[in-house]
Coordinates of all heavy atoms in Angstrom, one line a residue:
S49 N -4.7 2.2 13.4 CA -3.7 1.1 13.2 C -3.5 0.3 14.6 O -3.8 0.9 15.6 CB -2.4 1.5 12.7 OG -1.8 2.4 13.6
V50 N -3.1 -0.9 14.5 CA -2.9 -1.7 15.7 C -1.5 -1.3 16.3 O -0.5 -1.2 15.6 CB -2.8 -3.2 15.3 CG1 -2.5 -4.1 16.5 CG2 -4.2 -3.7 14.7
P51 N -1.5 -1.1 17.6 CA -0.2 -0.7 18.3 C 0.9 -1.7 18.0 O 0.7 -2.9 18.0 CB -0.6 -0.6 19.7 CG -2.1 -0.4 19.7 CD -2.6 -1.1 18.6
S52 N 2.1 -1.2 17.9 CA 3.3 -2.0 17.6 C 3.5 -3.0 18.8 O 3.9 -4.1 18.5 CB 4.5 -1.2 17.4 OG 4.8 -0.3 18.6
V53 N 3.2 -2.6 20.0 CA 3.4 -3.6 21.1 C 2.5 -4.8 20.9 O 2.9 -5.9 21.1 CB 3.0 -2.9 22.5 CG1 3.0 -3.9 23.6 CG2 4.0 -1.8 22.8
A54 N 1.2 -4.6 20.5 CA 0.3 -5.7 20.3 C 0.8 -6.5 19.1 O 0.7 -7.7 19.1 CB -1.1 -5.1 20.0
L55 N 1.3 -5.8 18.0 CA 1.8 -6.6 16.9 C 2.9 -7.5 17.3 O 2.9 -8.7 16.8 CB 2.2 -5.6 15.8 CG 1.1 -4.8 15.1 CD1 1.8 -3.8 14.2 CD2 0.2 -5.7 14.3
N56 N 3.8 -7.1 18.1 CA 4.9 -7.9 18.6 C 4.4 -9.1 19.3 O 4.9 -10.2 19.2 CB 5.9 -7.1 19.4 CG 6.6 -6.1 18.6 OD1 6.8 -6.2 17.4 ND2 7.0 -5.0 19.3
E57 N 3.4 -8.9 20.2 CA 2.8 -10.0 20.9 C 2.1 -11.0 20.0 O 2.3 -12.2 20.2 CB 1.8 -9.5 22.0 CG 2.4 -8.6 23.1 CD 1.4 -8.1 24.0 OE1 0.2 -8.3 23.8 OE2 1.8 -7.4 25.0
Y58 N 1.4 -10.5 19.0 CA 0.7 -11.4 18.1 C 1.7 -12.2 17.3 O 1.5 -13.4 16.9 CB -0.2 -10.7 17.2 CG -1.5 -10.2 17.8 CD1 -1.8 -8.8 17.8 CD2 -2.3 -11.0 18.5 CE1 -2.9 -8.3 18.4 CE2 -3.5 -10.5 19.1 CZ -3.8 -9.2 19.1 OH -4.9 -8.7 19.7
A59 N 2.9 -11.6 17.0 CA 3.9 -12.3 16.2 C 4.4 -13.5 17.0 O 4.9 -14.5 16.4 CB 5.0 -11.3 15.9
Q60 N 4.4 -13.4 18.3 CA 4.9 -14.5 19.2 C 3.8 -15.6 19.3 O 4.1 -16.8 19.3 CB 5.3 -14.0 20.5 CG 6.5 -13.0 20.5 CD 7.7 -13.6 19.9 OE1 8.1 -14.8 20.3 NE2 8.5 -12.9 19.1
T61 N 2.6 -15.1 19.6 CA 1.5 -16.1 19.9 C 0.8 -16.6 18.6 O 0.2 -17.7 18.7 CB 0.5 -15.4 20.8 OG1 -0.1 -14.2 20.2 CG2 1.1 -15.0 22.1
N62 N 0.8 -15.8 17.5 CA 0.1 -16.3 16.3 C 1.0 -16.0 15.1 O 0.7 -15.2 14.2 CB -1.2 -15.5 16.1 CG -2.2 -15.8 17.2 OD1 -3.0 -16.7 17.1 ND2 -2.2 -15.0 18.3
P63 N 2.2 -16.7 15.1 CA 3.1 -16.5 14.0 C 2.5 -16.8 12.6 O 1.8 -17.7 12.5 CB 4.2 -17.4 14.3 CG 3.6 -18.5 15.2 CD 2.6 -17.8 16.0
G64 N 2.8 -15.9 11.7 CA 2.4 -16.1 10.3 C 1.0 -15.5 10.0 O 0.6 -15.6 8.8
K65 N 0.3 -15.0 11.0 CA -1.0 -14.4 10.7 C -0.9 -12.9 10.6 O -0.1 -12.3 11.2 CB -2.0 -14.8 11.9 CG -2.4 -16.3 11.8 CD -3.6 -16.5 12.8 CE -4.1 -17.9 12.7 NZ -5.3 -18.2 13.5
F66 N -1.8 -12.4 9.8 CA -1.9 -11.0 9.6 C -2.8 -10.4 10.7 O -3.9 -11.0 11.0 CB -2.5 -10.6 8.3 CG -1.6 -11.0 7.1 CD1 -1.8 -12.2 6.4 CD2 -0.5 -10.2 6.8 CE1 -0.9 -12.5 5.4 CE2 0.4 -10.6 5.8 CZ 0.2 -11.7 5.1
V67 N -2.5 -9.2 11.3 CA -3.2 -8.6 12.4 C -4.0 -7.5 11.8 O -3.5 -6.6 11.2 CB -2.3 -8.1 13.5 CG1 -3.1 -7.6 14.6 CG2 -1.4 -9.3 14.0
I68 N -5.3 -7.5 12.1 CA -6.2 -6.4 11.7 C -7.0 -6.0 12.9 O -7.2 -6.7 13.9 CB -7.2 -6.8 10.6 CG1 -8.1 -8.0 11.0 CG2 -6.4 -7.2 9.3 CD1 -9.1 -8.4 10.0
S69 N -7.5 -4.7 12.9 CA -8.4 -4.2 14.0 C -9.8 -4.7 13.8 O -10.2 -5.2 12.7 CB -8.3 -2.7 14.0 OG -9.0 -2.2 12.9
Q70 N -10.6 -4.6 14.9 CA -12.0 -4.9 14.8 C -12.7 -4.0 13.8 O -13.5 -4.5 13.0 CB -12.6 -4.7 16.2 CG -14.1 -4.9 16.3 CD -14.5 -6.4 16.1 OE1 -13.7 -7.3 16.4 NE2 -15.7 -6.7 15.7
E71 N -12.3 -2.8 13.7 CA -13.0 -1.9 12.7 C -12.7 -2.3 11.3 O -13.6 -2.3 10.4 CB -12.5 -0.5 13.0 CG -13.3 0.6 12.1 CD -12.9 2.0 12.4 OE1 -12.1 2.2 13.3 OE2 -13.5 2.9 11.8
Q72 N -11.4 -2.7 11.0 CA -11.1 -3.2 9.7 C -11.8 -4.4 9.3 O -12.3 -4.6 8.2 CB -9.6 -3.4 9.6 CG -8.8 -2.1 9.7 CD -7.4 -2.3 10.2 OE1 -6.9 -3.3 10.6 NE2 -6.6 -1.2 10.2
Y73 N -12.0 -5.3 10.3 CA -12.8 -6.6 10.1 C -14.2 -6.2 9.8 O -14.8 -6.8 8.8 CB -12.7 -7.5 11.3 CG -13.6 -8.7 11.2 CD1 -13.3 -9.7 10.4 CD2 -14.7 -8.8 12.1 CE1 -14.1 -10.8 10.3 CE2 -15.5 -9.9 12.0 CZ -15.2 -10.9 11.1 OH -16.1 -12.0 11.1
E74 N -14.8 -5.3 10.5 CA -16.2 -4.9 10.3 C -16.4 -4.3 8.9 O -17.4 -4.5 8.3 CB -16.7 -4.0 11.4 CG -16.8 -4.7 12.8 CD -17.1 -3.8 13.9 OE1 -17.2 -2.6 13.7 OE2 -17.3 -4.3 15.1
F75 N -15.4 -3.5 8.5 CA -15.5 -2.9 7.2 C -15.5 -4.0 6.1 O -16.4 -4.0 5.2 CB -14.2 -2.0 6.9 CG -14.2 -1.5 5.5 CD1 -14.9 -0.4 5.1 CD2 -13.4 -2.2 4.5 CE1 -14.8 0.0 3.8 CE2 -13.3 -1.7 3.2 CZ -14.1 -0.6 2.8
A76 N -14.7 -5.0 6.2 CA -14.7 -6.1 5.2 C -16.0 -6.9 5.2 O -16.5 -7.3 4.2 CB -13.5 -7.0 5.4
I77 N -16.5 -7.1 6.4 CA -17.8 -7.8 6.5 C -18.9 -7.0 5.9 O -19.8 -7.5 5.2 CB -18.1 -8.1 8.0 CG1 -17.1 -9.2 8.6 CG2 -19.6 -8.6 8.2 CD1 -17.2 -10.5 7.9
L78 N -18.9 -5.7 6.1 CA -19.9 -4.8 5.6 C -19.8 -4.8 4.0 O -20.8 -4.8 3.3 CB -19.7 -3.4 6.1 CG -20.6 -2.3 5.5 CD1 -22.1 -2.6 5.8 CD2 -20.3 -0.9 6.0
A79 N -18.6 -4.8 3.5 CA -18.4 -4.9 2.1 C -19.1 -6.1 1.5 O -19.7 -6.1 0.5 CB -16.9 -4.9 1.7
R80 N -18.9 -7.3 2.2 CA -19.5 -8.5 1.7 C -21.0 -8.4 1.8 O -21.7 -8.8 0.8 CB -19.0 -9.7 2.5 CG -19.7 -11.0 2.0 CD -19.2 -12.3 2.7 NE -19.9 -13.4 2.1 CZ -19.3 -14.3 1.3 NH1 -18.1 -14.2 0.9 NH2 -20.1 -15.3 0.9
K81 N -21.6 -7.9 2.9 CA -23.0 -7.7 3.0 C -23.5 -6.8 1.9 O -24.6 -7.0 1.3 CB -23.4 -7.1 4.3 CG -23.1 -8.1 5.5 CD -23.5 -7.5 6.8 CE -23.4 -8.5 8.0 NZ -23.7 -7.9 9.3

Side-chain angles (χ1 to χ4, degrees):
S49 63
V50 178
S52 58
V53 173
L55 288 172
N56 291 334
E57 292 177 357
Y58 288 124
Q60 297 298 319
T61 58
N62 294 271
K65 289 192 175 184
F66 294 99
V67 182
I68 60 173
S69 70
Q70 177 69 26
E71 186 174 1
Q72 291 158 354
Y73 172 70
E74 290 175 357
F75 173 84
I77 293 298
L78 177 60
R80 182 176 177 106
K81 289 181 178 178

